[in-house]
Amino acid sequence: MTDILKRLEKEILLLDGPIGTELMARGIAAGEVSELWVLEKPDVIAEVHKSYFDAGADIVLTNTFGGTELK
């Protein structure tokens, strides 16, 4: 965490983009629980995250948008 704070003092850090949209482009069906892909298709999740790093993201978030008890 200290490294991130030091970097923020000097620069703007870029975060990743929408995971859901990227999973849709890779074949996730409407209504399918995207968080299950972390377990069932980790290679696809890694590919999405790598694409964000390759595009210049400094930080990539986990695929847990709907990972709640309510969902």
Side-chain angles (χ1 to χ4, degrees), residues 31-59:
E32 190 174 350
V33 180
S34 65
E35 291 78 14
L36 286 177
W37 276 38
V38 173
L39 300 173
E40 296 172 355
K41 300 183 182 193
D43 54 320
V44 176
I45 300 298
E47 179 183 297
V48 171
H49 288 174
K50 183 179 179 324
S51 73
Y52 284 123
F53 282 124
D54 290 347
D58 297 297
I59 300 169

Side-chain angles (χ1 to χ4, degrees), residues 4-43:
I4 291 174
L5 294 175
K6 286 179 183 177
R7 285 186 65 188
L8 283 171
E9 290 176 0
K10 301 174 190 170
E11 61 186 299
I12 296 172
L13 300 180
L14 300 175
L15 275 71
D16 62 358
I19 297 294
T21 304
E22 289 298 318
L23 294 182
M24 289 170 62
R26 288 164 169 81
I28 195 167
E32 190 174 350
V33 180
S34 65
E35 291 78 14
L36 286 177
W37 276 38
V38 173
L39 300 173
E40 296 172 355
K41 300 183 182 193
D43 54 320

